[in-house]
Amino acid sequence: MIFEADDLQLFKQKAFQWANTFDTLCYLDSNNFTDPYGKFDTLIAVGAKAQVKANAGNAFDQLNHFKAQNPGFITGFFGYDLKNEVEVLSSGNYDGLTFPDLYFFAPEIVITIKDNTIEINGDVTAFDTIAAIKLCNYTTKPRVELKARFDKQEYISTVEQIKTHINRGDIYVTNFCHEFYAEGTSIDPQTVFTQLNSLSPTPFSSFFKWEGNYIMCASPERFLAKRGNKLISQPIKGTARRDSDKLVDQTIIEELRNHPKELQENVMIVDLVRNDLTLSAKRGTVKTEELFGIQTFKQVHQMVSTVVCELRDNVTAIDAIKNTFPMGSMTGAPKISAMRLMEKFERSKRGVYSGAIGYFTPDGDFDFNVVIRTLLYNSTNKYLSFQVGSAITYHADAAKEYEECLLKAKAILNVLGVDKL
């Protein structure tokens, strides 16, 4: 059933509130960012008529089977630790969340919004139900007592140790991540996400819930999309703060655009992504559509590049994802060496963080984000977690990298009522 909305933003707010009454929900919101590869402005999938949950081992095979059995929409996530299935790696760090490495569901109802058109597949009476909802006022912020796996000096010391591996040529660049967490804490995930999405609207925002577990994501980054026979990856490397003074803000953009360290880390990851895509691409079709593009968000400026290719006929959609997973922007180069080293230096299992959330469509397309700027919550054991990371290169200044991590966490800290760490 297809509808037109008189007030699209109001409908989206009501639809999210309605969707949260279901036990299983995937809400994906572009927040009206211009995206030449965007298939939908918003996608809401609710109710699981079938699901697959798996850990590294044969998770991609299980998903291939599940997708074949459910040829319509399916939505879900890939956890970072599927790296252990893709390569000979392991994960032994602390995991307070205990999320699976992979979870997908076939929804009972799918709502898609594009421009001003709303399409509902499933229960067509949902539109009238949503329209009749009286919106709740989400204003209360939780007060959370956060702890850190690294204090500032421990972080700086660890970065210096990582740089010794760079200096001797073990790796060129890596993404070093650390966790902030709260134990025995209670939050209202719907309120937290609503506030986060308002404070930090991004083109790949998402809210995911299943079995009392929650993902509240304000991601600016696309991992991988498929449109027809074209694959698109848009790695982000390079971050700068915003400023309320427009002239200063423009100066910051120009500094980011010309900063040697930011350019270096971006081009190294672009090369890695190009290499990953060759595993799925028709010969000679991998190309960089845009290098060092600057995108501006409410909290930060980011350097974004776009790499594309044509998908070979004998490569399935899921194999294309497996061939590029985990995404280069969250690993480093060489990829396997960087992942192995970060398992040594990091103190928490990444889990869904550094993974991807998204969808497969009935026509064979897909779109997945990079799970960053994200809160993860297990409501059963009341464990709340978010991780932040930054690229470490030969030129990295450890103290500045720590400040960059806090800049990336600014919106999350705000919605949690944390003034400073």
Side-chain angles (χ1 to χ4, degrees):
M1 189 71 70
I2 297 176
F3 307 89
E4 296 287 328
D6 295 328
D7 187 334
L8 195 58
Q9 187 59 33
L10 179 62
F11 177 84
K12 283 169 54 177
Q13 291 172 347
K14 289 186 173 186
F16 176 59
Q17 186 172 316
W18 163 81
N20 204 41
T21 64
F22 289 78
D23 292 333
T24 309
L25 159 64
C26 178
Y27 176 89
L28 306 173
D29 193 352
S30 72
N31 285 300
N32 299 317
F33 278 85
T34 300
D35 178 5
Y37 293 114
K39 198 175 184 80
F40 310 111
D41 297 330
T42 304
L43 184 147
I44 307 169
V46 297
K49 59 186 179 183
Q51 62 182 4
V52 59
K53 179 166 57 175
N55 289 320
N58 66 342
F60 284 102
D61 286 342
Q62 288 190 55
L63 180 59
N64 260 313
H65 178 74
F66 180 78
K67 186 172 181 294
Q69 296 297 312
N70 297 275
F73 278 96
I74 61 171
T75 63
F77 64 79
F78 300 97
Y80 171 79
D81 296 276
L82 288 171
K83 65 183 175 61
N84 306 331
E85 180 174 328
V86 177
E87 306 291 350
V88 183
L89 297 167
S90 61
S91 299
N93 288 324
Y94 179 76
D95 178 15
L97 290 161
T98 65
F99 289 178
D101 292 332
L102 178 149
Y103 178 86
F104 277 81
F105 72 96
E108 297 173 356
I109 304 170
V110 176
I111 301 173
T112 58
I113 301 173
K114 183 65 175 177
D115 299 323
N116 200 46
T117 301
I118 302 162
E119 183 171 348
I120 299 179
N121 291 285
D123 182 4
V124 295
T125 64
F127 184 90
D128 293 329
T129 304
I130 293 167
I133 284 177
K134 184 178 181 180
L135 280 175
C136 296
N137 188 17
Y138 300 105
T139 58
T140 304
K141 290 183 180 180
R143 301 298 300 183
V144 174
E145 296 296 327
L146 283 177
K147 301 176 184 178
R149 296 289 169 198
F150 293 82
D151 64 27
K152 184 175 181 179
Q153 285 310 121
E154 288 175 324
Y155 175 91
I156 290 172
S157 174
T158 304
V159 169
E160 294 303 328
Q161 293 177 62
I162 292 169
K163 287 180 68 175
T164 64
H165 288 274
I166 295 173
N167 291 338
R168 69 189 189 199
D170 297 336
I171 56 172
Y172 310 118
V173 58
T174 193
N175 196 294
F176 172 50
C177 303
H178 58 124
E179 181 191 26
F180 296 89
Y181 65 98
E183 299 170 299
T185 194
S186 296
I187 64 167
D188 177 2
Q190 183 175 358
T191 298
V192 169
F193 174 75
T194 299
Q195 293 176 351
L196 179 62
N197 200 38
S198 175
L199 185 64
S200 184
T202 55
F204 298 98
S205 294
S206 58
F207 180 90
F208 200 100
K209 91 183 235 194
W210 83 105
E211 299 174 3
N213 302 304
Y214 296 86
I215 305 169
M216 295 149 277
C217 176
S219 174
E221 183 173 359
R222 171 179 275 128
F223 159 46
L224 192 67
K226 176 180 176 288
R227 299 290 178 258
N229 71 336
K230 185 175 185 177
L231 295 179
I232 307 103
S233 184
Q234 294 181 295
I236 289 179
K237 277 296 166 203
T239 303
R241 68 178 182 89
R242 297 294 312 274
D243 196 280
S244 57
D245 185 305
K246 290 185 178 180
L247 291 178
V248 174
D249 204 47
Q250 188 60 42
T251 300
I252 292 171
I253 290 175
E254 293 307 313
E255 290 174 349
L256 174 61
R257 197 189 307 273
N258 296 285
H259 195 291
K261 187 258 183 184
E262 309 288 6
L263 295 170
Q264 179 191 47
E265 66 184 59
N266 191 285
V267 77
M268 284 193 289
I269 298 306
V270 165
D271 285 345
L272 189 156
V273 171
R274 286 173 58 90
N275 185 65
D276 282 350
L277 287 178
T278 60
L279 300 174
S280 306
K282 292 181 180 177
R283 186 183 296 272
T285 64
V286 177
K287 63 180 181 179
T288 304
E289 276 193 344
E290 182 179 26
L291 187 64
F292 308 144
I294 303 296
Q295 292 185 13
T296 294
F297 304 100
K298 199 168 182 178
Q299 302 292 332
V300 293
H301 303 291
Q302 303 267 207
M303 186 178 289
V304 186
S305 294
T306 301
V307 187
V308 302
C309 73
E310 290 182 30
L311 182 66
R312 289 203 312 271
D313 295 338
N314 63 339
V315 178
T316 70
I318 293 172
D319 286 341
I321 293 170
K322 184 178 180 180
N323 287 342
T324 54
F325 195 85
M327 62 291 301
S329 62
M330 296 305 294
T331 56
K335 194 172 186 178
I336 297 173
S337 297
M339 289 190 288
R340 186 173 289 120
L341 271 176
M342 291 310 95
E343 179 65 25
K344 172 184 175 182
F345 286 112
E346 294 173 3
R347 296 178 179 175
S348 304
K349 182 180 177 180
R350 291 198 193 178
V352 176
Y353 175 76
S354 294
I357 300 171
Y359 62 83
F360 294 93
T361 62
D363 63 4
D365 283 354
F366 63 75
D367 207 346
F368 287 88
N369 71 4
V370 177
V371 180
I372 52 177
R373 323 288 159 82
T374 297
L375 275 161
L376 306 170
Y377 182 54
N378 182 322
S379 67
T380 300
N381 64 17
K382 300 186 182 303
Y383 189 87
L384 179 70
S385 168
F386 72 91
Q387 296 197 43
V388 286
S390 69
I392 309 302
T393 66
Y394 174 83
H395 296 289
D397 180 312
K400 289 182 179 178
E401 295 303 322
Y402 184 81
E403 294 305 316
E404 180 179 310
C405 288
L406 296 187
L407 175 63
K408 291 172 177 175
K410 183 179 178 181
I412 289 176
L413 295 174
N414 188 303
V415 299
L416 293 180
V418 177
D419 296 326
K420 65 178 181 178
L421 294 172

